[in-house]
Amino acid sequence: MDDEQVFYTRTGQFEFNEDNVLVDKNTGFKVAGIDADGQLSEINLSNYLAIKPTATSKLTLTGNLSPLDDVHQISSAKMINALGEEVDLSIKFTNEKAIFPNQWKIEILDDTGNVLHTDSVKFGPDGTPEVGSGSFIFNLADSTGSTTPVDITVGSIGDFSAVTQTSATGTDSNVALHAVDGKGWGS
């Protein structure tokens, strides 16, 4: 078919043109198929050439926040937004021991240091996060301003495989990313 007429062929020599549309090799006319609405339409592979992205929906942390430390920062926390754009953020932990013992302020920062989200985690006597304090939702924005919720898990009560607060690491904290889901275009 061209833009105005439908043609038939028996040659069967087809190829994809530079626009990823299936065409007759000799004439360049588009090969038509029946779309979901039952209408003739061109066969275009543009939407199928790459694996579509999957936005980050979950991030988990592991390690220890030393009660003797004041600030700990994860400098690169790469996430994928709904458009497949890679967003490089950092996560800053600030010990609030002077005001709130066993509590850390958590800030999500963009690549220029602007605070995008603030939350906190409070640790119990066993060194694990108290009930209701070990996770939060952060809304990851894309270039259009739309957001995707990301569940950030610090830990949970009695779970020593996630983030803890003990003086076992001395004055230095060692919290790091444990797992981040999401995949960019073609991943």
Side-chain angles (χ1 to χ4, degrees):
M1 69 183 207
D2 66 9
D3 292 333
E4 299 174 11
Q5 293 183 318
V6 175
F7 296 92
Y8 296 91
T9 183
R10 295 183 347 190
T11 61
Q13 294 182 354
F14 307 117
E15 66 185 4
F16 287 95
N17 67 13
E18 64 278 352
D19 296 321
N20 299 310
V21 175
L22 187 62
V23 296
D24 180 287
K25 187 175 184 177
N26 297 315
T27 64
F29 291 156
K30 298 172 185 171
V31 176
I34 305 294
D35 66 15
D37 297 324
Q39 302 296 314
L40 281 178
S41 65
E42 67 183 30
I43 298 172
N44 188 325
L45 292 184
S46 294
N47 291 333
Y48 306 101
L49 292 178
I51 297 171
K52 292 187 178 181
T54 304
T56 299
S57 64
K58 186 171 184 158
L59 179 145
T60 56
L61 302 165
T62 188
N64 185 60
L65 289 168
S66 171
L68 307 173
D69 201 356
D70 293 322
V71 176
H72 176 71
Q73 188 159 334
I74 299 170
S75 60
S76 183
K78 294 183 189 304
M79 297 184 209
I80 304 296
N81 64 29
L83 296 179
E85 301 163 331
E86 185 176 87
V87 182
D88 195 11
L89 304 173
S90 59
I91 304 172
K92 181 179 179 182
F93 299 86
T94 304
N95 195 336
E96 297 184 303
K97 60 187 170 192
I99 305 165
F100 305 107
N102 301 318
Q103 182 168 304
W104 292 74
K105 177 170 69 171
I106 304 170
E107 295 173 303
I108 308 293
L109 309 168
D110 67 13
D111 59 354
T112 62
N114 292 319
V115 177
L116 303 175
H117 182 87
T118 302
D119 221 292
S120 64
V121 60
K122 184 166 179 64
F123 292 92
D126 69 347
T128 62
E130 290 186 346
V131 173
S133 180
S135 66
F136 60 93
I137 301 294
F138 162 67
N139 289 312
L140 179 62
D142 61 39
S143 59
T144 68
S146 295
T147 61
T148 302
V150 178
D151 181 7
I152 299 182
T153 302
V154 178
S156 59
I157 190 165
D159 181 6
F160 293 94
S161 67
V163 177
T164 57
Q165 178 189 260
T166 68
S167 56
T169 58
T171 59
D172 295 327
S173 297
N174 62 6
V175 173
L177 297 178
H178 174 67
V180 181
D181 68 356
K183 295 181 180 178
W185 281 102
S187 298

